[in-house]
Amino acid sequence: MGTIFNIIILGVIVWFLYQRFVPAKGIKNINVTELKAELNNKGDKQFIDVRTPNEYRGNHIKEFKNIPLNDLGKRAQELSKDKEVVVICQSGLRSSHASKALKKLGFKEVTNVKGGMSSWR
């Protein structure tokens, strides 16, 4: 009985870690060096910063519009589902969550900035 329980617990832990750290299907991940190239070649892209308004005011990249992660669900209509969305936060964790949420809302091209503003120089 104990062995079956341990296998189930291990399975839940592995599933949780997989869900947390494996990029969602259809989400592109870039680093800040690649982001600089994206900013030079904006094209049909929209840039959002999902940090809090205070974090955004403290330091942000001018091309990025602030839509805090907590507001993303109700403000997603401000974005076009037909244009690529590039998402940044402080470290890359909230932007990863936001990227997954945008994919679930039907956005076709979503790009997450790994390392976030902490890596921006």
Side-chain angles (χ1 to χ4, degrees):
M1 181 83 166
T3 306
I4 293 172
F5 181 74
N6 289 342
I7 290 171
I8 291 170
I9 294 298
L10 181 62
V12 168
I13 291 169
V14 168
W15 177 83
F16 175 78
L17 291 173
Y18 177 81
Q19 292 293 322
R20 188 123 174 113
F21 295 108
V22 174
K25 188 176 182 180
I27 297 174
K28 185 169 103 179
N29 285 285
I30 61 172
N31 60 36
V32 293
T33 303
E34 293 166 306
L35 172 61
K36 288 176 183 175
E38 297 276 334
L39 290 169
N40 288 332
N41 183 22
K42 292 182 194 86
D44 236 12
K45 296 180 176 93
Q46 39 200 345
F47 299 91
I48 63 166
D49 185 325
V50 295
R51 296 176 300 152
T52 65
N54 277 343
E55 288 174 297
Y56 182 81
R57 275 192 297 275
N59 179 30
H60 65 272
I61 302 167
K62 68 177 171 139
E63 289 85 357
F64 281 78
K65 175 180 184 174
N66 185 222
I67 301 179
L69 180 58
N70 291 340
D71 297 339
L72 188 59
K74 60 185 173 237
R75 292 186 57 194
Q77 76 278 359
E78 296 175 25
L79 304 167
S80 169
K81 290 184 179 183
D82 298 323
K83 293 181 180 178
E84 180 180 355
V85 183
V86 179
V87 188
I88 198 168
C89 67
Q90 188 63 38
S91 68
L93 184 60
R94 284 177 283 179
S95 60
S96 177
H97 290 304
S99 296
K100 290 175 185 175
L102 289 169
K103 283 303 280 186
K104 286 180 182 173
L105 289 170
F107 286 81
K108 295 176 183 75
E109 287 188 78
V110 181
T111 300
N112 176 48
V113 181
K114 296 182 296 185
M117 291 299 294
S118 294
S119 301
W120 183 259
R121 308 237 184 299

